[in-house]
Amino acid sequence: MTYKENTKKYIENYNLGIGDTIKVNKKDISYTGILLDRPEDAEDGYLVLKLSSGYNIGIAIEDTTAELVEKGEKPKIGFGETEIPNDPSKQNISIVSTGGTVSSVIDYRTGAVHPAFTASDLVKANPELLDYANYNVKALYNILSEDMKPEYWVKAAEEIANDISNGADGVVIAHGTDTMHYTSAALSFMLKTPVPIIITGAQRSSDRPSSDANINLIDSVIAAKSDIAEVCVCMHGSLNDEYTYLHKGTKVRKMHTSRRDTFRSINAQPIAKIQNKKININPDYVYTKRGENELELNTAIEEKVGFIKIFPGISKDFIEYHIDKGYKGLVIEGTGLGHVPNELVDSFKRAKDENIPIVMTSQCLYGRVNMNVYSTGRNIIDAGVISALDMTPETTYVKLSWALGQSDDYNKIKEIMQTNIAGEFGVKSSIKDFLN
């Protein structure tokens, strides 16, 4: 039990245990629910109950009494414990936690959500995971996804490669959703993998009845046991809990601030649908199968890459600033087919002259960049700007960062950007009904 001193004494005094259904009386109010464990850094003086509504509630123990309603089953693993039951008949899955809502808890003193689980606590909070595999768990970071950095992608890729080398049959990464698609793209370029690498998260924290954390984690493990040896994102496919989708790591994007089905495949179909704990692979999707590749790791990356969104009234100063500050490459999120004001073209030419590659993507997301249609676009091509084809802006940014880690030669960068390395562009499917 990881409750701290005063709370622990309180629980022992009433002969209560984690998992018991208890009733806590506070003045003229009483609460009945299942007594939950808490992470090691939780504040002393509070109990946490799971109510019959599905919500969790924090109760200050001061001026309360408690009584046992029903004895509960002893948890298979407690908070902070690293020993997880092992079944030789099951596959070995590595779970790597980076933080985010999927691995967050509520501070019941302040009401705030913060990333406080260890990786093994993910298994404790989702004990059904133990029915599917054995787990090697680690907390790589304990951050929210807005704090993710390119250097963290490198560390994650190295840890994943190490786990695969040590016999992991698949890897699941718990990640915040806001920048998950950046990380999935980065790992897609940095790793050639013989096993599935699945990134997942949650839009709603695990204390809420509408949380998507449990289903996303379990379905990610199912995907990690599958034959799909690629970097993928596994998230809800609908507003209810009916199924999840498996998206290619370079073709996925977060499309809504709060909906549980926020992740969509852009200019592509999902690789698979996971429903009723079974994986249904898109029959027209050509994917890399388990064991087809040898493990390869290439984490060379250039962090000084700019990302500029075109807007009405933008001046060439935005481009000149990045050139003067020594940026090694720029991604331009143009309008429509890949358009910018004519005023910027001379700055693009200067960047090309100084061996700074500029890659054009589109704010439209769906469709393909085509700078050949209008005269402005042709001027942009003449200035040396590289087309991102149908890559998402985020994948384009990550790929340019990775390409600049491979070479500083403009022509080589252009070749890399227009070579399909991890299915980042040109993926099409003739299956019309797969999403239904």
Side-chain angles (χ1 to χ4, degrees):
M1 183 185 299
T2 54
Y3 276 101
K4 293 184 178 177
E5 183 178 2
N6 292 328
T7 311
K8 187 175 181 179
K9 288 179 180 177
Y10 179 93
I11 292 171
E12 291 174 347
N13 182 55
Y14 289 102
N15 195 28
L16 307 175
I18 303 303
D20 292 348
T21 299
I22 69 171
K23 183 177 182 180
V24 179
N25 306 298
K26 191 179 182 83
K27 296 181 180 178
D28 57 347
I29 301 174
S30 65
Y31 303 92
T32 301
I34 299 171
L35 179 62
L36 302 181
D37 206 342
R38 301 195 70 191
E40 293 178 342
D41 63 351
E43 186 169 336
D44 196 10
Y46 288 82
L47 296 175
V48 177
L49 301 185
K50 179 171 286 294
L51 305 179
S52 59
S53 65
Y55 278 91
N56 296 351
I57 185 172
I59 303 172
I61 62 174
E62 187 177 0
D63 298 326
T64 68
T65 60
E67 56 187 283
L68 177 67
V69 175
E70 183 180 356
K71 206 68 182 167
E73 182 181 347
K74 184 178 179 182
K76 296 178 182 178
I77 178 173
F79 277 93
E81 294 180 19
T82 56
E83 289 296 322
I84 297 173
N86 185 276
D87 183 344
S89 67
K90 295 176 182 175
Q91 288 175 280
N92 298 310
I93 301 300
S94 173
I95 295 183
V96 179
S97 174
T98 66
T101 301
V102 70
S103 53
S104 291
V105 293
I106 298 293
D107 181 340
Y108 288 96
R109 182 179 57 85
T110 65
V113 178
H114 63 102
F117 279 157
T118 67
S120 58
D121 291 338
L122 284 175
V123 179
K124 160 61 176 72
N126 302 275
E128 304 97 320
L129 288 171
L130 296 172
D131 296 333
Y132 295 93
N134 300 312
Y135 300 97
N136 172 41
V137 296
K138 67 181 71 174
L140 188 59
Y141 307 116
N142 198 19
I143 61 173
L144 296 173
S145 67
E146 56 265 33
D147 293 320
M148 187 60 67
K149 300 176 181 179
E151 65 189 77
Y152 297 165
W153 300 336
V154 171
K155 179 65 174 175
E158 291 172 344
E159 288 292 333
I160 291 166
N162 184 60
D163 286 352
I164 294 171
S165 295
N166 288 332
D169 295 309
V171 181
V172 173
I173 301 115
H175 196 290
T177 60
D178 286 353
T179 61
M180 183 187 294
H181 48 305
Y182 287 89
T183 299
S184 66
L187 296 179
S188 297
F189 295 123
M190 290 179 177
L191 287 161
K192 185 174 283 187
T193 176
V195 303
I197 298 173
I198 312 298
I199 306 175
T200 193
Q203 283 288 85
R204 301 175 187 177
S205 56
S206 56
D207 73 305
R208 298 176 64 181
S210 61
S211 176
D212 49 340
N214 179 266
I215 291 173
N216 290 345
L217 277 168
I218 292 174
D219 284 2
S220 293
V221 168
I222 291 168
K225 294 169 59 181
S226 77
D227 197 37
I228 304 171
E230 297 191 10
V231 177
C232 304
V233 166
C234 180
M235 292 289 290
H236 263 53
S238 68
L239 291 177
N240 57 32
D241 295 329
E242 187 181 358
Y243 56 87
T244 58
Y245 276 137
L246 203 60
H247 305 276
K248 179 179 277 292
T250 54
K251 299 300 290 182
V252 65
R253 193 177 194 273
K254 184 174 182 178
M255 300 296 287
H256 194 279
T257 57
S258 59
R259 283 172 62 118
R260 301 195 300 173
D261 62 345
T262 177
F263 280 87
R264 306 290 174 86
S265 289
I266 307 298
N267 295 317
Q269 294 282 347
I271 299 174
K273 176 191 285 186
I274 303 173
Q275 189 169 20
N276 298 323
K277 309 311 175 192
K278 294 181 180 179
I279 188 164
N280 175 28
I281 299 174
N282 184 333
D284 210 39
Y285 189 90
V286 179
Y287 61 92
T288 305
K289 294 180 172 59
R290 180 183 289 273
E292 228 173 76
N293 286 331
E294 295 291 330
L295 177 64
E296 292 183 18
L297 176 68
N298 184 346
T299 59
I301 196 167
E302 172 57 60
E303 295 189 24
K304 203 156 189 182
V305 174
F307 198 166
I308 301 173
K309 189 181 187 78
I310 298 302
F311 57 89
I314 188 173
S315 74
K316 65 180 183 180
D317 293 343
F318 282 78
I319 311 301
E320 298 290 334
Y321 171 86
H322 286 82
I323 296 172
D324 292 340
K325 288 295 184 179
Y327 278 75
K328 305 301 182 183
L330 295 176
V331 171
I332 305 297
E333 194 175 309
T335 59
L337 292 166
H339 300 148
V340 303
N342 270 312
E343 179 185 347
L344 273 57
V345 174
D346 285 343
S347 297
F348 290 168
K349 291 178 180 177
R350 180 192 166 197
K352 172 66 164 55
D353 291 342
E354 298 190 22
N355 199 42
I356 301 171
I358 294 181
V359 183
M360 180 67 69
T361 184
S362 175
Q363 297 170 18
C364 295
L365 300 182
Y366 290 95
R368 184 176 294 261
V369 169
N370 187 348
M371 295 178 286
N372 286 299
V373 176
Y374 297 100
S375 57
T376 303
R378 292 171 186 172
N379 292 336
I380 294 169
I381 293 174
D382 291 342
V385 174
I386 302 165
S387 171
L389 305 172
D390 71 349
M391 285 188 284
T392 66
E394 295 81 8
T395 293
T396 303
Y397 165 77
V398 172
K399 186 176 183 181
L400 181 56
S401 299
W402 182 81
L404 284 162
Q406 315 309 305
S407 175
D408 59 3
D409 178 73
Y410 171 87
N411 290 325
K412 182 62 177 176
I413 297 300
K414 182 175 182 180
E415 178 188 339
I416 293 173
M417 291 303 297
Q418 299 195 326
T419 299
N420 211 351
I421 293 170
E424 61 272 22
F425 62 78
V427 178
K428 296 180 180 179
S429 174
S430 61
I431 300 299
K432 294 183 176 65
D433 297 327
F434 185 70
L435 292 176
N436 296 331

